[in-house]
Amino acid sequence: MPKLKSNRGAAKRFSRTGGGFKRSQAFRRHILTKKTTSRKRQLRAAATVHATNVASVKQMLPYA
């Protein structure tokens, strides 16, 4: 059976951890002046992919 290709967009956005997949937070690229300091600080932290989306991420990253 041939090797499977990884989705390159997904490979740049998700990384495998022991408990699932790690992702970065959205809403921290622009229009930061109206967002509070605490909100921007909390958006720095990485989040995990929700359980309903794990199957699709696994399909995009077959060897992760």
Side-chain angles (χ1 to χ4, degrees):
M1 188 145 168
K3 290 187 210 174
L4 299 172
K5 285 193 173 183
S6 295
N7 182 305
R8 299 315 295 160
K12 294 166 190 172
R13 286 169 172 81
F14 305 109
S15 60
R16 185 71 192 228
T17 62
F21 288 93
K22 189 168 66 170
R23 66 170 176 85
S24 60
Q25 298 264 18
F27 303 106
R28 207 180 130 72
R29 296 289 178 192
H30 61 105
I31 315 175
L32 298 172
T33 52
K34 64 175 74 171
K35 293 169 188 158
T36 63
T37 309
S38 61
R39 182 174 164 192
K40 289 184 279 192
R41 185 172 59 245
Q42 287 162 359
L43 288 172
R44 277 184 223 149
T48 55
V49 174
H50 194 265
T52 56
N53 297 320
V54 168
S56 60
V57 174
K58 278 185 182 175
Q59 188 175 4
M60 289 189 282
L61 301 173
Y63 300 107

